[in-house]
Amino acid sequence: MGLNPGSQASGPLRPTRPAHHQPRLLALVGLGGALGTGTRAALAQALGAPLGSWPWSTFAVNLTGAFLLGLLLETLAGRGRDEGRLRGIRLTLGTGFLGGYTTYSALAVETLHLSPLLAAGYAAGTVAFGLAAAALGRRCAPPPPPPVPGPAR
């Protein structure tokens, strides 16, 4: 359990509930997850490949999801501490939407339906290109805004 810093007006430090105990944040993750899963399902239907062939839709979804997660997290990290509105954005888009959009389970099942050589390439390629996509997303993030000058001391 963390502590909320108190100010002179609000009193001493008081305990805060962890994010996973806050109904509003859980709802944001659920909403984002439902939208991400729906998006992935629509793409899988549009780009579906025959069983036993390279699963392009899952490959594309996982790589674009890795890129977007790198972009999102680097952008948010440059905007301030992971609290309040920024935490809500991270949980809705990162944990929720991109967590539902990307899929490890489909990757695992589809790997079982590929030849051993193709399965190894698919699994290794997803991990290697996923790491590269996340790194590229981080590099593409906008720079943090300039600091706001405070009062002169």
Side-chain angles (χ1 to χ4, degrees):
M1 205 178 282
L3 296 175
N4 263 351
S7 67
Q8 298 297 341
S10 66
L13 297 178
R14 60 191 183 280
T16 59
R17 293 188 314 182
H20 65 280
H21 287 195
Q22 297 180 38
R24 181 184 76 78
L25 296 178
L26 292 173
L28 290 175
V29 171
L31 173 65
L35 294 172
T37 301
T39 302
R40 175 175 37 88
L43 286 171
Q45 189 152 20
L47 304 173
L51 201 59
S53 66
W54 189 272
W56 286 109
S57 64
T58 303
F59 189 68
V61 157
N62 284 335
L63 297 187
T64 57
F67 172 84
L68 292 171
L69 188 59
L71 178 69
L72 173 70
L73 294 180
E74 189 67 22
T75 300
L76 292 177
R79 299 300 183 270
R81 294 175 52 140
D82 184 36
E83 57 190 19
R85 187 174 136 273
L86 293 178
R87 178 178 281 179
I89 292 169
R90 178 184 59 81
L91 290 173
T92 304
L93 297 179
T95 305
F97 184 85
L98 293 172
Y101 176 72
T102 58
T103 173
Y104 177 78
S105 58
L107 177 139
V109 169
E110 290 165 345
T111 300
L112 294 174
H113 294 285
L114 298 173
S115 69
L117 185 59
L118 201 55
Y122 177 54
T126 298
V127 172
F129 288 118
L131 287 170
L136 180 61
R138 289 186 65 203
R139 291 187 63 100
C140 290
V148 177
R153 292 187 185 207

